Amino acid sequence: MPTISGLTLDRRSFLVGSTSLAAALSLPRESAGAIAPPKEFTLSAAPGRVPLVGPPYPETDVWSYDGSVPGPEIRVRQGERLRIAVNNRLSQGTTIHWHGVRVPNAMDGVPHLTQEPIRAGDNFVYEFDVPDAGTYWYHPHHHSAEQVGRGLSGALIVEETEPLQVDRDLVWVLGDWRLARDASIVGDFGNRMEATMAGRIGNTVTINGRVPNTIRVRSGERLRLRLINAAPARIFGLEFAGHRPLIVALDGQPIEPHEPPGGRVVLGPAMRADLVLDMTREPGATTAVIDSFYRDRAYRLVDFAYTDEPRLRDHPLDAPSRMRANTMPEPDLDNAERHIATLEGGMSGRGIMGMGGMMGMGGMGWSINGVSAIGHNMRPMLSLARGRSYILSVRNETAWHHPVHLHGHSFRVIARNGKPTRYREWLDTVLVPPREQADIAFVADNPGDWMFHCHILDHQDGGMMAVIRVA
Ligand code: C2O
Ligand code: CU
């Protein structure tokens, strides 16, 4: 087990790595199911108050969907049609983006590109089919660093027609907040300095909108754990001490079941992982889930507390963990056209740790292929022919990690740093470490103008975004 050098996260000390933090602070698709009437939902974006940290701390003023953080879980079945009426009761415009779902372009929720922002007091109705099963999420795409940072996000679960056989299906929406001592949100959004680095990482991590204490489990049970990283900037690296999680899907898409390298599940902002987790410890045991992504700032996220009930079964459940693939078209690699997307900008490598006096050095903005998309620069970086296969090499020439998201499509990660990937995973958001390269391949089959951007929301605001046109 790793050493826990950060603070234990509980109700009495909810500041994660507060010392280093203090330092930082001083600085249209047709579907077979389309005949059935759509499933109707409503979401009202509005200010609310929720017990993020819990007593004795006061409740936290947030922006929420339907008064809850995260917003209500939307759960439908593969192939269904959704109609979601959104009412904006915030004091500013908003939109909703259905992250990872291959929606028609007009339903993608990108302000000034696919729709005008839903003005304060107005409504907008999203309607689309869900072609693929899996774990997705929804969030605003307008002023998203602040709107997501204040609590607007929720899970969107599309059930398989033949679901995995497990005892319980748990969804963990992972949130990250910057809270003051009275548990209120610190309003320093848009800090330019931290935007040039790792982004606005908070000091309080929540699971489903609460600082978690323990999760009760039963010895012998099998969990399907759907992890959703809804944080604006924090990357998670979760270790399940004493357990052997199997990754069975990434970004909603089934993958050959495998244990993550080093037993650690790494999730950049917006990424999801579905795990199969056999609770193999004895009744009464307590084990920790540790987040060790940032070196020297590991902390205990939550404990699994085994109940005293007798073991549910003596051997792990004998059921397959492999799921049926979704419906993505297979890219034709032999005839694919190649392009490069080079990520640049941010604080340069020199002197990152000693931030004092670094303001003037290096570029402050972020860019893709030399263009920093500030304001409404929506001219396409690439124009792709509908139905053709493409390989895009995403080159990170910065000193920071970037989770890069393409709208409207899922892509296979076929190579990293020139070497073929083992699982050729389908993703919609690929985490590219500093000075590394990921080659992604996809069929440009969904017409429209699609965002391609870093999902560290301060990086996106700082210009690390572009438009890819499919026509
Ligand atoms: Cu989850 Cu363009 O976003
Ligand atoms: Cu980034």
Side-chain angles (χ1 to χ4, degrees):
M1 212 176 79
T3 40
I4 305 170
S5 51
L7 293 178
T8 300
L9 197 80
D10 63 27
R11 286 177 207 292
R12 280 145 299 280
S13 63
F14 62 88
L15 299 181
V16 176
S18 57
T19 321
S20 37
L21 179 84
L25 279 174
S26 68
L27 318 174
R29 194 175 299 272
E30 302 80 36
S31 136
I35 305 120
K39 288 261 160 107
E40 309 260 0
F41 299 88
T42 59
L43 287 175
S44 174
R49 252 177 103 71
V50 297
L52 280 186
V53 187
Y57 289 90
E59 294 192 327
T60 302
D61 284 311
V62 294
W63 294 352
S64 72
Y65 293 117
D66 290 6
S68 73
V69 167
E73 178 182 298
I74 296 179
R75 196 176 263 264
V76 293
R77 306 199 51 193
Q78 183 170 15
E80 282 186 322
R81 189 168 183 80
L82 279 67
R83 184 183 289 150
I84 305 152
V86 177
N87 175 228
N88 181 9
R89 294 168 54 210
L90 303 169
S91 56
Q92 57 179 248
T94 193
T95 63
I96 300 186
H97 171 58
W98 314 96
H99 186 113
V101 182
R102 298 186 296 141
V103 298
N105 193 251
M107 296 292 117
D108 201 41
V110 178
H112 311 296
L113 187 68
T114 67
Q115 69 173 102
E116 286 314 305
I118 311 166
R119 283 176 311 188
D122 270 3
N123 298 290
F124 188 87
V125 178
Y126 293 92
E127 183 168 336
F128 52 88
D129 298 331
V130 284
D132 307 309
T135 302
Y136 304 94
W137 68 299
Y138 61 91
H139 64 79
H141 218 286
H142 191 53
H143 301 312
S144 41
E146 178 164 13
Q147 292 193 6
V148 173
R150 288 191 183 276
L152 290 168
S153 64
L156 169 52
I157 307 297
V158 184
E159 294 177 344
E160 298 85 19
T161 42
E162 300 160 40
L164 266 192
Q165 198 189 327
V166 294
D167 297 301
R168 283 195 292 159
D169 182 328
L170 300 183
V171 180
W172 286 7
V173 179
L174 298 167
D176 179 40
W177 311 76
R178 180 171 293 170
L179 300 184
R181 289 274 162 199
D182 62 355
S184 64
I185 295 173
V186 178
D188 60 344
F189 294 95
N191 176 312
R192 244 177 121 225
M193 163 93 105
E194 63 186 351
T196 65
M197 300 187 287
R200 189 176 188 271
I201 293 175
N203 55 16
T204 305
V205 171
T206 54
I207 296 179
N208 299 334
R210 299 286 177 277
V211 172
N213 229 333
T214 55
I215 308 278
R216 285 164 64 85
V217 296
R218 179 166 179 189
S219 180
E221 74 172 331
R222 173 171 287 184
L223 305 181
R224 175 177 185 167
L225 188 52
R226 301 175 186 259
L227 302 171
I228 301 173
N229 183 352
R234 180 183 290 276
I235 303 170
F236 291 89
L238 301 186
E239 301 182 48
F240 297 81
H243 299 89
R244 304 179 68 179
L246 269 190
I247 295 181
V248 299
L250 290 173
D251 288 358
Q253 311 308 323
I255 188 169
E256 183 185 321
H258 65 280
E259 292 186 32
R264 195 164 79 150
V265 181
V266 174
L267 280 186
M271 296 168 67
R272 291 88 65 211
D274 286 39
L275 309 181
V276 163
L277 195 55
D278 283 318
M279 306 314 294
T280 46
R281 303 289 300 272
E282 63 287 356
T286 301
T287 68
V289 180
I290 307 292
D291 173 11
S292 62
F293 182 78
Y294 299 100
R295 269 189 301 149
D296 307 327
R297 282 203 264 162
Y299 64 96
R300 176 185 300 245
L301 172 64
V302 68
D303 282 337
F304 283 126
Y306 281 72
T307 65
D308 293 325
E309 294 163 281
R311 237 174 219 293
L312 189 60
R313 54 178 71 85
D314 283 329
H315 298 287
L317 180 66
D318 184 19
S321 346
R322 180 187 292 273
M323 291 187 289
R324 227 188 23 213
N326 276 315
T327 59
M328 261 76 65
E330 191 61 43
D332 172 4
L333 299 182
D334 293 334
N335 297 299
E337 192 175 294
R338 288 182 169 267
H339 292 276
I340 293 171
T342 303
L343 315 177
E344 289 176 303
M347 194 70 83
S348 68
R350 268 187 310 151
I352 287 162
M353 302 313 291
M355 295 176 306
M358 291 304 294
M359 283 296 282
M361 293 184 60
M364 299 302 284
W366 298 98
S367 64
I368 304 180
N369 287 350
V371 177
S372 188
I374 305 287
H376 304 319
N377 175 9
M378 296 294 183
R379 262 184 306 131
M381 171 184 85
L382 281 175
S383 289
L384 310 183
R386 185 176 179 186
R388 258 203 94 157
S389 293
Y390 292 88
I391 297 172
L392 187 56
S393 297
V394 185
R395 287 191 185 157
N396 180 357
E397 295 188 351
T398 80
W400 306 92
H401 282 79
H402 301 289
V404 179
H405 174 42
L406 173 63
H407 286 212
H409 301 76
S410 289
F411 47 77
R412 270 199 194 282
V413 183
I414 56 169
R416 284 191 182 262
N417 305 316
K419 285 191 15 204
T421 54
R422 174 142 179 215
Y423 299 106
R424 307 179 75 246
E425 58 271 27
W426 286 105
L427 301 179
D428 54 58
T429 307
V430 61
L431 186 62
V432 190
R435 296 183 198 87
E436 294 199 13
Q437 172 174 329
D439 293 353
I440 66 173
F442 60 100
V443 180
D445 66 339
N446 199 355
D449 281 356
W450 301 104
M451 294 297 290
F452 175 74
H453 66 88
C454 179
H455 222 289
I456 289 178
L457 300 173
D458 306 287
H459 294 179
Q460 180 187 356
D461 278 355
M464 193 175 275
M465 60 178 165
V467 170
I468 294 183
R469 173 169 293 170
V470 176

